[in-house]
Amino acid sequence: QVQLKESGPGLVQPSQTLSLTCTVSGFSLTSNSVHWVRQPPGKGLEWVGAIWSGGSTDYNSALKSRLSISRDTSKSQVFLKMNSLQTEDTAIYFCTLSPRGYFDYWGQGVMVTVSS
Amino acid sequence: DTVLTQSPALAVSPGERVSISCRASEGVNSYMHWYQQKPGQQPKLLIYKASNLASGVPARFSGSGSGTDFTLTIDPVEADDTATYFCQQSWNDPYTFGAGTKLELK
């Protein structure tokens, strides 16, 4: 069955780089797009970016200068890297499968706290 | 970016019908989707493309609308429906979410 699981450090210092991994199973990365969505504590959802089935990427314009999404299809993994982290980047980061514009499978999410 | 506006909160009694609205700042065709999120959990897809029920979702949930005005209806509401409901559009880049409507039961 379809599964996604996020992993990464729970705590990142301000100005440092966040690296997250989304490990997927039950579907092919070359046939589906994977997106990252984040949610600050007690707040709403924000689309972060995506890697499409062909390998191209799209990013939230507010984050684009700091963000990179890539993948390793042989390992069924998608990576998110965001630099120059600030306290406002504190959030739960979800990876999600989006075959047709909506998000029908989600990972459990990983809480990332930006603090010194 | 396309702004999606939702009312912040609603309170209803079990057994009643509730409608949750989502208004888009520009047209999104029928590419509006709805999610339910309970505390400590990931969002769950309820409705895709305005009116299509996602797999495994009870028929008490339904969606309608097109263009800029959309509605998620729950009829009848059950105690387990206490949650926050988000709309999301995928017609315009970038994808955007509404701020969510918190549904409480009386």
Side-chain angles (χ1 to χ4, degrees), chain A residues 16-17 38 48-49 57-69 81-86 89:
Chain A
Q16 297 302 301
T17 297
R38 71 180 183 177
V48 173
T57 54
D58 275 321
Y59 302 127
N60 184 318
S61 57
L63 305 171
K64 190 172 184 176
S65 63
R66 303 192 287 130
L67 185 62
S68 173
I69 297 175
K81 289 189 188 303
M82 185 183 301
N83 59 33
S84 303
L85 250 60
Q86 302 301 319
D89 296 312

Side-chain angles (χ1 to χ4, degrees), chain B residues 2 9 12 29-30 39 46 49 55 63-66 72-73 76-77 79 83 90 95-97 102 104-105:
Chain B
T2 303
V12 297
N29 200 316
S30 62
L46 298 175
K49 286 195 69 179
S55 177
S64 63
S66 67
L72 170 70
T73 300
V77 172
S90 60
Y95 294 172
T96 50
F97 290 89
K102 188 172 185 178
E104 297 179 340
L105 268 64

Side-chain angles (χ1 to χ4, degrees), chain B residues 3-65:
Chain B
V3 176
L4 304 181
T5 301
Q6 299 182 245
S7 53
L10 289 171
V12 297
S13 299
E16 291 185 345
R17 171 190 172 113
V18 66
S19 293
I20 298 171
S21 66
C22 178
R23 174 164 287 178
S25 61
E26 57 186 322
V28 299
N29 200 316
S30 62
Y31 288 79
M32 186 67 78
H33 323 294
W34 291 93
Y35 303 85
Q36 176 194 66
Q37 187 179 34
K38 297 181 179 180
Q41 297 185 15
Q42 65 269 59
K44 173 187 175 183
L45 179 69
L46 298 175
I47 300 288
Y48 63 95
K49 286 195 69 179
S51 60
N52 296 278
L53 197 64
S55 177
V57 175
R60 302 184 291 106
F61 293 88
S62 63
S64 63

Side-chain angles (χ1 to χ4, degrees), chain A residues 16-91:
Chain A
Q16 297 302 301
T17 297
L18 172 65
S19 294
L20 297 177
T21 299
C22 175
T23 303
V24 309
S25 59
F27 66 95
S28 170
L29 290 177
T30 58
S31 302
N32 293 275
S33 63
V34 170
H35 297 236
W36 290 93
V37 174
R38 71 180 183 177
Q39 185 171 36
K43 297 189 177 180
L45 301 163
E46 179 182 30
W47 180 78
V48 173
I51 186 161
W52 304 96
S53 57
S56 62
T57 54
D58 275 321
Y59 302 127
N60 184 318
S61 57
L63 305 171
K64 190 172 184 176
S65 63
R66 303 192 287 130
L67 185 62
S68 173
I69 297 175
S70 60
R71 69 185 185 185
D72 183 335
T73 56
S74 67
K75 295 183 178 179
S76 294
Q77 291 181 324
V78 175
F79 309 106
L80 178 149
K81 289 189 188 303
M82 185 183 301
N83 59 33
S84 303
L85 250 60
Q86 302 301 319
T87 54
E88 308 88 78
D89 296 312
T90 293

